[in-house]
Amino acid sequence: MSVWRRIIFTILLAVLSSGAFALDTGDLLVADKPVGDWPPLILARPVMQHVHETVHFCIHYNTTGDSAVYHPGEDINPYDSVPDYVNRIGEYFEAAHNVYIFELEYDMPPPDGLTDIESKYDVYVTTTSGLTTPEYLSDYYFGREAYVSYIQVGNNMFTDHNPTDPYPHLKGVCAHEYFHAVQMAYRGHLVDQKPWFYELTAMWAEERVFDDLNELYYNLDDYYSDIDKSIYLHGGFHMYGAWVLAEYLSQNYGNDIIKHVFEKHITNPSSIGSLASALNSKGLDINREFTILTGWNFFTGPNYHNQFFEEGMSFPATVPVVNSYSSYPTGWQENGDAIENLGVNYIYFDNPGISKGDLVVTVKADEQYHEMICLAGIYDGSRPISLGIHKAMAGETIQVRVQNFNEYTGAIMAINWSYQDSVIHDLADYSYSAFVESLSVDIVDGVEPVIPESFSLNGNYPNPFNLSTKITFYWNFNPSYYTIAIYDITGRQVETVTGTALTGENKVNWRASDDLSSGVYYYNLTAGERSKVGRMLLLK
């Protein structure tokens, strides 16, 4: 352990001893563990008054003093001279052991001795609500940095969510902390900046043991509200709420996918590297899977759709939208809100009431970093939703679309900065524009059309064109000022033509300037409060 890191950690432990700060299991996982200097004395196993044994656990507890268990004299279910609170702790840990070791077939935590009682896992009921301490390196599993550990759970587990009942939170903590002990059977020391994967999978594990508990919902908004932050660089409640990553993976590829990541952890001390490797070994790409997850995360809570998270309707939160549009074209939006590596931004495009057309979005990636895009149309009803997944290389401009945008109430676009095989501390920008491409635009081929009842755009002729083209539209109202804004394929406005729309047929000649290159151009005709969009091809 470096001198400065040891000093900082010593200060943290001193603060912990004062009761002013709660040290998490994750802090111990990422802390250096020099031989002969671990664990610190403050993390030594406490001495308790009583022991209650179950099949696989020894529960150590007090019935008097500051750490006396909740209702120490309550001995009803069962009547066995053991406080009911302690019996429940034993039952909850046995339930977790049954799921993790027997059902999901994880390796059990390394035992701390050879006798029967020493081989049972030790749990101490203290004033610490939940802490799993990696005590010392074990040789129980050959070739692993597996650690013997022990757990502390709270003697009184009331929370703001359950102010009169300590048992719901107690259930979650028992399942959560024992999964930490299981994780340490694979690796008890990480090189991660934050123990994000260990914490989010411990939250996920709670659902495997107690599916109806849903304590993990309380942390969801902490991740969603800061979802532009990196999923693997942030601690605090952010990493607890990111359990949706594990939920997405297990729902699509089975619970075994999470165990496979920890098997990779045996030889790889990086969680993000182990995750990428585990997915790759199953023919999956971490960036594609994360991008699909960004779409799933939108269709939760008030945006729920039944083809995504099974319990998504019950999620108390959904992701924030950083920008929303209801008129088109949007113009070029420079320097979008910067995102961290594997951070996400969401942009919403509302349907303005078009009768036909595609939503066309042009996106330019950061000059240094690759970015992934998930684009989906949103509608009322139960039809399947298609998530369009796209990749923009560093500095590349791509065009994505929602076909038949007129059938949708809107569209959502999620942009994330791809993982590029290494940990990066930086911010990535992006730029974009959007317009609605009319499907009713036809080429005028010399046939005189019937004048419509109101307003229509009849396209431009010739198309393709070399130097100039005529844009024809029909206006059946009083004369009105019109504007034709012309955009290149990136959404950059290159020219504007103005005039007065007269009742009947109007033809507007447009000559491309010499500095414009060959390619597709779009024009947005606005007259009065009405608007139409067309497309043309310039060939030089």
Side-chain angles (χ1 to χ4, degrees), residues 234-280:
H234 280 267
F237 291 115
H238 185 273
M239 61 185 175
Y240 290 87
W243 59 265
V244 287
L245 169 62
E247 191 69 29
Y248 161 80
L249 291 174
S250 64
Q251 189 172 319
N252 283 277
Y253 305 111
N255 288 327
D256 193 58
I257 190 72
I258 305 302
K259 183 176 72 171
H260 194 45
V261 179
F262 286 101
E263 290 168 345
K264 293 292 184 181
H265 248 319
I266 293 173
T267 56
N268 190 334
S270 164
S271 294
I272 189 69
S274 296
L275 175 61
S277 177
L279 293 175
N280 184 66

Side-chain angles (χ1 to χ4, degrees), residues 196-221:
W196 64 285
F197 195 75
Y198 275 57
E199 292 296 0
L200 73 85
T201 52
M203 298 298 292
W204 164 86
E206 294 179 26
E207 278 286 285
R208 312 282 78 78
V209 183
F210 303 113
D211 182 49
D212 296 331
L213 182 61
N214 298 332
E215 282 274 302
L216 75 176
Y217 288 175
Y218 299 132
N219 297 112
L220 190 59
D221 188 51

Side-chain angles (χ1 to χ4, degrees), residues 131-304:
L131 184 69
T132 304
T133 299
E135 191 173 26
Y136 59 86
L137 194 61
S138 171
D139 58 2
Y140 188 76
Y141 295 108
F142 178 76
R144 299 189 193 181
E145 196 166 317
Y147 271 76
V148 168
S149 62
Y150 66 90
I151 289 174
Q152 295 181 62
V153 297
N155 62 325
N156 195 329
M157 300 292 280
F158 292 119
T159 65
D160 291 341
H161 304 294
N162 293 288
T164 61
D165 185 357
Y167 291 106
H169 190 50
L170 179 64
K171 277 186 177 181
V173 168
C174 291
H176 184 105
E177 296 302 329
Y178 192 56
F179 196 70
H180 279 320
V182 170
Q183 293 166 343
M184 293 176 195
Y186 295 86
R187 173 169 290 278
H189 177 237
L190 307 175
V191 298
D192 298 14
Q193 177 176 310
K194 299 293 181 182
W196 64 285
F197 195 75
Y198 275 57
E199 292 296 0
L200 73 85
T201 52
M203 298 298 292
W204 164 86
E206 294 179 26
E207 278 286 285
R208 312 282 78 78
V209 183
F210 303 113
D211 182 49
D212 296 331
L213 182 61
N214 298 332
E215 282 274 302
L216 75 176
Y217 288 175
Y218 299 132
N219 297 112
L220 190 59
D221 188 51
D222 294 294
Y223 174 55
Y224 279 169
S225 61
D226 286 323
I227 203 167
D228 58 322
K229 303 294 191 299
S230 171
I231 195 172
Y232 69 85
L233 292 177
H234 280 267
F237 291 115
H238 185 273
M239 61 185 175
Y240 290 87
W243 59 265
V244 287
L245 169 62
E247 191 69 29
Y248 161 80
L249 291 174
S250 64
Q251 189 172 319
N252 283 277
Y253 305 111
N255 288 327
D256 193 58
I257 190 72
I258 305 302
K259 183 176 72 171
H260 194 45
V261 179
F262 286 101
E263 290 168 345
K264 293 292 184 181
H265 248 319
I266 293 173
T267 56
N268 190 334
S270 164
S271 294
I272 189 69
S274 296
L275 175 61
S277 177
L279 293 175
N280 184 66
S281 68
K282 294 184 176 294
L284 303 171
D285 175 71
I286 185 174
N287 288 316
R288 180 174 177 80
E289 296 306 317
F290 185 79
T291 304
I292 297 172
L293 169 66
T294 66
W296 280 47
N297 281 334
F298 177 82
F299 294 101
T300 58
N303 303 326
Y304 172 73

